[in-house]
Amino acid sequence: MLEKVKETTAYIRSKVTVEPEVGIILGTGLGGLTKDIKNQEVLDYGDIPNFPVSTVEGHHGRLIFGDLGGKKVVAMQGRFHFYEGYDMKEVTFPVRVMKYLGVKNLFVSNASGGVNPDFEIGDLMIINDHINLLPNPLIGPNDKEFGPRFPDMSQPYDYKLIALAQDIAKKNGINTQIGCYVGTTGPTFETPKEYQYFRIIGGDTVGMSTVPEVIVARQMGLPVFAISIITDLGVPGKIVEITHEEVQKVGKEAERKMTLIMEEMLQNL
């Protein structure tokens, strides 16, 4: 794994001039933020050695380097999921590469289903904790160069970044929620009883990504900020049939608010 990470990092450095300070992972239907990145240098996943390829609609499959919010960034326009058939080391491989490219902070976004009865479709939820119901990406041999065998997870999401995001949202009149994200394997959407279970165990939203990437980022010492767009509701009385296309549509409608928050956060880092 370490050799592959270094090989991929060397290839990317040979193709782009940007030295990124911040890594950004964009979720389903949330790739529009990349339009604001200036002086872009783009690599398709398919051209990058050892990189998986996105197979889900709404995930374009490109690494985009450039300037955003006064910072040098690398954005993943499309992520990888366990349900696509990739193992957890493949799902989280880009996070390790970002770290070796010099990234100092990781920003993550996703589309998720709200199980908190106070949430509405289109809400933004800043993630302050998670519950992992996916295989842990650190299972297997551990290379000490990546980080400790048993990483501390008492602060998976950086408190300072959370506070900064809340201040920016308030200043711009953007209402945000805050809460716990439950990570599941997918690819099915949840049953009513599963939604109920996730709420009982402490979840506010549920989705099929994010948690593995955050675990690996924390092992490698990267502070993380993550935000969910609530694209459907798993609340009794509000559960309706949902499709992937509808998730993408809601994500795009709320994306502008998320982009504003992230760009201003970058300006303040």
Side-chain angles (χ1 to χ4, degrees):
M1 171 66 79
L2 179 59
E3 290 181 1
K4 287 184 176 181
V5 169
K6 290 183 175 180
E7 177 188 5
T8 301
T9 303
Y11 173 84
I12 292 172
R13 282 180 171 155
S14 75
K15 297 295 182 179
V16 300
T17 61
V18 175
E19 296 183 6
E21 309 162 72
V22 178
I24 303 172
I25 301 176
L26 298 168
T28 301
L30 303 178
L33 174 144
T34 59
K35 296 175 183 176
D36 289 357
I37 298 176
K38 310 300 182 186
N39 306 312
Q40 290 190 10
E41 298 179 44
V42 180
L43 294 176
D44 289 333
Y45 291 166
D47 296 331
I48 303 172
N50 307 312
F51 236 67
V53 176
S54 297
T55 66
V56 182
E57 185 180 347
H59 292 261
H60 292 285
R62 304 189 301 167
L63 274 186
I64 300 178
F65 295 79
D67 301 307
L68 184 69
K71 298 292 185 295
K72 302 292 185 184
V73 304
V74 53
M76 288 181 66
Q77 192 178 27
R79 56 146 55 91
F80 312 112
H81 306 81
F82 183 64
Y83 66 71
E84 294 175 77
Y86 293 119
D87 66 36
M88 280 301 182
K89 287 179 170 42
E90 292 173 309
V91 168
T92 56
F93 184 80
V95 176
R96 298 202 184 281
V97 171
M98 285 181 176
K99 171 69 175 181
Y100 275 74
L101 286 170
V103 162
K104 301 295 189 296
N105 291 280
L106 181 67
F107 284 21
V108 184
S109 69
N110 62 56
S112 65
V115 295
N116 186 317
D118 294 331
F119 290 2
E120 297 294 341
I121 290 175
D123 279 356
L124 300 180
M125 188 194 85
I126 297 168
I127 304 176
N128 65 1
D129 204 345
H130 68 233
I131 296 170
N132 183 30
L133 300 181
L134 287 147
N136 194 296
L138 305 185
I139 291 172
N142 182 62
D143 195 308
K144 291 183 180 179
E145 188 168 325
F146 286 149
R149 167 81 281 187
F150 303 104
D152 175 73
M153 292 295 288
S154 61
Q155 191 181 151
Y157 303 89
D158 190 82
Y159 296 162
K160 291 181 180 178
L161 293 177
I162 290 172
L164 176 60
Q166 289 177 309
D167 288 344
I168 289 169
K170 184 177 180 180
K171 182 185 71 174
N172 286 281
I174 299 172
N175 182 51
T176 59
Q177 309 283 2
I178 188 163
C180 176
Y181 177 91
V182 181
T184 67
T185 65
T188 53
F189 292 111
E190 293 72 27
T191 70
K193 283 298 181 182
E194 286 172 337
Y195 281 131
Q196 183 181 6
Y197 168 68
F198 298 143
R199 182 59 180 160
I200 289 171
I201 65 174
D204 295 290
T205 65
V206 58
M208 307 168 193
S209 66
T210 300
V211 175
E213 297 146 324
V214 173
I215 290 173
V216 165
R218 295 305 301 132
Q219 185 200 28
M220 301 187 78
L222 281 176
V224 177
F225 171 76
I227 192 165
S228 292
I229 292 179
I230 310 304
T231 53
D232 60 286
L233 294 175
V235 176
K238 296 183 179 180
I239 298 173
V240 297
E241 186 175 338
I242 186 68
T243 66
H244 184 69
E245 289 72 25
E246 288 170 322
V247 168
Q248 289 180 275
K249 181 176 182 291
V250 175
K252 287 179 181 177
E253 289 172 353
E255 182 180 44
R256 194 65 233 167
K257 293 184 290 185
M258 180 197 77
T259 298
L260 187 153
I261 291 171
M262 285 193 172
E263 287 191 29
E264 289 203 21
M265 287 179 71
L266 290 171
Q267 292 168 9
N268 287 274
L269 285 181

